[in-house]
Amino acid sequence: MGEYIRGVVVKLHLTPEQEVMFKQNYGCTRKTHNELLNKYKAKYGDSNNELLNKYKAKYGDSNKIPTKNELNQFLNESKKELPYLEETESTSLQQARDDLHKAFKNNFKSKRHNTPKFHSKKKTRPSFRQTIRKDKRPVENNTLTLRKHGKVTFSTSIEYLDLLNSPNTKFNNITVYYDGLNHYAAFNIETDVPEQLPLTEEYIGCDINSNKNGWLVTSERQKEFFDVDHDNQMIKHVNKLMSKCRKGSRRWKKLEKRLQKWYNKRTNQLNDYIEKLTYN
């Protein structure tokens, strides 16, 4: 339908019942990934090199591992062993299966990609992804309709609201995630409206450092710096206060929410700074 693929992120406003359902879906998606990976390792062994050698000897280097049919079989077995997975929205579990399959393919193609690992509660961002049926529009005004979860209201800018409600916009999938404080929905859409970027006819290379201080070095040997020392000091301060509290107490929970706000603020400021700098 559209010639431009774009991503739009909106903030969701959930009811208490929907929040419980969302958190269940996050957990079931993570559990599905771990169950499929565990069944695959139990069948072919834990050593990835031995696994690659078996497939290369049988199918040659052109074959991708593992096959979707195998993972789908593991998914059906997991649903029988864990009945609560049947209560979860089905396409989100299928997307977890497809993501694992893609991870195996990437690792098989290049050594730059790590082998698939188990998802932990602490290090994995809670999320799930739903596909959109053809000729279905999940957005109406500022309301998003999700399967199994019903209608959810969201807030965003007027520009993005008009884009999501445009009849020329096609929805590919929706990713819902949780940052520790709020729930968000990221739309993958196809549209005829491109992002308005002015053409400067100039080329410049940028190397963004991976540390939290936001160093950026250009090909013209120009350095840019974004100061997040205050955020880092506040994170240390709140961590120090939490260490003096009993874990799980009322004050500890308040400090935990305050700490998450500082983490999110530091991340958002750094991402916004990098986006604007590379844009300019």
Side-chain angles (χ1 to χ4, degrees):
M1 180 179 292
E3 55 181 323
Y4 299 99
I5 298 179
R6 296 181 58 177
V8 177
V9 179
V10 301
K11 182 179 179 180
L12 302 178
H13 305 284
L14 309 180
T15 62
E17 294 79 9
Q18 288 175 335
E19 186 158 4
V20 173
M21 294 174 65
F22 272 50
K23 290 184 178 180
Q24 288 176 346
N25 207 336
Y26 296 146
C28 289
T29 303
R30 182 181 60 82
K31 182 67 174 179
T32 299
H33 172 92
N34 291 342
E35 280 294 311
L36 298 185
L37 184 57
N38 186 44
K39 288 180 179 297
Y40 194 79
K41 288 188 174 183
K43 183 176 181 179
Y44 292 101
D46 201 7
S47 175
N48 190 61
N49 293 329
E50 294 179 4
L51 181 63
L52 288 176
N53 292 332
K54 287 181 181 179
Y55 269 82
K56 287 181 180 179
K58 188 174 181 180
Y59 301 106
D61 293 346
S62 61
N63 191 272
K64 308 298 186 298
I65 61 169
T67 63
K68 270 192 176 183
N69 290 334
E70 284 181 302
L71 291 181
N72 198 45
Q73 182 181 355
F74 294 152
L75 178 59
N76 294 332
E77 292 175 1
S78 299
K79 287 183 177 180
K80 293 178 181 179
E81 296 171 2
L82 306 172
Y84 58 84
L85 293 180
E86 293 283 0
E87 303 175 2
T88 310
E89 200 279 319
S90 59
T91 62
S92 59
L93 304 185
Q94 294 167 7
Q95 291 295 310
R97 175 203 62 194
D98 294 342
D99 290 343
L100 179 61
H101 180 253
K102 186 176 180 180
F104 270 107
K105 286 172 61 178
N106 291 337
N107 176 247
F108 185 80
K109 288 180 181 178
S110 173
K111 294 182 179 180
R112 293 183 302 167
H113 298 278
N114 296 326
T115 56
K117 297 180 180 179
F118 292 103
H119 289 173
S120 65
K121 290 183 179 180
K122 293 183 178 180
K123 297 183 180 180
T124 305
R125 185 178 70 177
S127 65
F128 65 86
R129 186 166 66 253
Q130 287 190 7
T131 56
I132 307 299
R133 295 170 183 169
K134 292 183 179 179
D135 302 327
K136 291 287 185 179
R137 296 196 59 81
V139 175
E140 183 178 357
N141 296 326
N142 66 331
T143 303
L144 168 65
T145 304
L146 294 172
R147 290 196 292 273
K148 285 276 189 178
H149 304 293
K151 294 185 177 182
V152 184
T153 58
F154 65 86
S155 58
T156 185
S157 64
I158 298 177
E159 177 188 357
Y160 285 158
L161 192 62
D162 293 340
L163 180 63
L164 293 174
N165 285 278
S166 172
N168 296 325
T169 299
K170 176 187 174 184
F171 293 85
N172 294 328
N173 57 62
I174 302 173
T175 301
V176 180
Y177 64 91
Y178 181 60
D179 68 349
L181 294 175
N182 301 302
H183 300 266
Y184 297 90
F187 298 92
N188 184 298
I189 60 176
E190 295 181 17
T191 177
D192 296 327
V193 182
E195 294 190 61
Q196 301 298 324
L197 299 177
L199 299 178
T200 61
E201 302 298 334
E202 296 179 357
Y203 300 90
I204 187 171
C206 298
D207 181 18
I208 300 176
N209 205 348
S210 59
N211 61 27
K212 294 296 181 182
N213 290 326
W215 279 101
L216 182 141
V217 183
T218 68
S219 56
E220 298 176 352
R221 298 183 180 180
Q222 177 185 357
K223 290 187 177 182
E224 298 287 345
F225 182 74
F226 181 69
D227 187 13
V228 290
D229 285 340
H230 175 65
D231 302 297
N232 290 335
Q233 291 298 326
M234 290 303 301
I235 289 173
K236 290 181 180 179
H237 175 66
V238 177
N239 272 316
K240 187 176 181 180
L241 293 177
M242 289 182 66
S243 66
K244 299 179 181 179
C245 300
R246 180 173 57 84
K247 186 175 180 180
S249 63
R250 183 179 299 179
R251 176 168 171 77
W252 186 89
K253 291 180 179 179
K254 287 184 178 180
L255 290 174
E256 184 185 29
K257 187 172 290 187
R258 183 179 169 189
L259 178 65
Q260 188 63 48
K261 286 183 179 180
W262 278 109
Y263 274 125
N264 293 347
K265 182 179 179 181
R266 183 180 68 178
T267 302
N268 293 336
Q269 284 182 339
L270 184 58
N271 290 339
D272 181 68
Y273 165 76
I274 292 175
E275 289 289 337
K276 290 179 179 178
L277 191 62
T278 53
Y279 177 88
N280 294 330

